[in-house]
Amino acid sequence: MKILLLDDEEAILKALSLVLMDMGHTVETFSCADEAAKSIEGGSFDFALIDYLMPVKNGLWFMKNAKIPRKTKVLLMTAFVSREAINEMFKLGARGYLIKPINPKELSHHLEFHSKSKTQSP
């Protein structure tokens, strides 16, 4: 699968990218929501893993402003566990969420589960 990874922390981008590539996925990393939003419009991503809490433009900004293709499934990544934030991301189309630090086994489970689920209607 092809995965877009958005996080403002370089260490997280590097670590998750390596984990995902070891699982056999293709990964494109972004530390800026603007750049990720432009890239996702091409429609070539199966998943987008989006950090919720980032300076300047956060995960909510990304979900509200990116033109996410219907086939791309979004998973929220956060260390900031807030029911309101998670519910808002779900309202905007996120399919699930992962709590940081992310466990590779849990990540694999989410990708497998959500890759089998049908794409939501707009």
Side-chain angles (χ1 to χ4, degrees):
M1 289 185 276
K2 187 171 179 185
I3 300 173
L4 180 145
L5 183 57
L6 171 62
D7 198 299
D8 62 310
E9 293 183 45
E10 193 64 37
I12 291 174
L13 285 176
K14 187 176 279 188
L16 279 179
S17 182
L18 288 172
V19 166
L20 289 164
M21 287 188 296
D22 283 347
M23 292 177 185
H25 304 296
T26 303
V27 182
E28 285 189 35
T29 61
F30 298 88
S31 58
C32 170
D34 282 335
E35 292 173 14
K38 290 175 191 167
S39 185
I40 202 164
E41 290 180 20
S44 64
F45 294 98
D46 299 297
F47 278 92
L49 303 178
I50 307 300
D51 184 22
Y52 171 73
L53 192 58
M54 295 184 291
V56 185
K57 295 180 179 172
N58 63 17
L60 286 176
W61 181 92
F62 177 85
M63 294 296 292
K64 290 177 182 177
N65 292 280
K67 293 179 182 156
I68 302 167
R70 289 182 57 184
K71 78 169 196 99
T72 303
K73 297 171 184 171
V74 177
L75 299 177
L76 165 68
M77 300 185 301
T78 185
F80 175 74
V81 182
S82 156
R83 186 168 296 171
E84 293 80 21
I86 291 168
N87 286 337
E88 185 67 24
M89 290 291 281
F90 279 139
K91 286 179 191 174
L92 294 170
R95 301 293 292 269
Y97 64 94
L98 297 155
I99 303 297
K100 292 180 180 178
I102 295 173
N103 176 303
K105 204 177 237 186
E106 183 180 348
L107 175 59
S108 178
H109 172 76
H110 274 268
L111 293 174
E112 182 180 338
F113 176 80
H114 291 291
S115 67
K116 293 177 182 175
S117 62
K118 293 184 178 182
T119 304
Q120 291 178 329
S121 305

